[in-house]
Amino acid sequence: MSKFFYKGRPMKKPTHSSPGFETNATVYLGTDKAPAQISVQSEVRKEELVAIFAEHGWASKIEVNPDQEENIRDLEILQERENTSQAQTTKAAGRNDPCPCGSGKKYKKCCAAA
């Protein structure tokens, strides 16, 4: 059996317990690791919310407590996040892209020169 030699300094052993893996991964609301925490006052309202969560594929923990006021803040956060991600962004034409006016010329020769 031969020894392995290399140039340079010896490598230090990693200080964390799991080398090669991201230990501080981001956890998103609505997933199995961080389900949305919802409290409602009736079973009927719970069924409505279960349908909404199932439609979008979000994970949730819904608690029915008639004495406590309704708390659906996590649902509102998820819906806002979905609405902002669906917004269409139009990319501006680059200098060498065809002009969006439909002239067939390059953007830099047509509308950018104006």
Side-chain angles (χ1 to χ4, degrees), residues 51-111:
I52 292 172
F53 280 100
E55 177 184 334
H56 295 286
W58 297 325
S60 66
K61 288 185 180 178
I62 302 176
E63 179 183 316
V64 178
N65 191 348
D67 301 331
Q68 199 175 24
E69 70 178 59
E70 186 171 279
N71 179 12
I72 57 168
R73 181 67 186 137
D74 287 351
L75 174 62
E76 293 168 356
I77 291 170
L78 287 170
Q79 288 174 333
E80 286 176 16
R81 185 177 74 195
E82 184 180 69
N83 290 340
T84 57
S85 67
Q86 289 180 355
Q88 291 183 351
T89 57
T90 56
K91 183 180 174 188
R95 293 189 62 218
N96 292 321
D97 293 339
C99 190
C101 73
S103 65
K105 296 180 181 180
K106 288 184 179 182
Y107 180 71
K108 67 181 178 183
K109 298 272 186 174
C110 184
C111 292

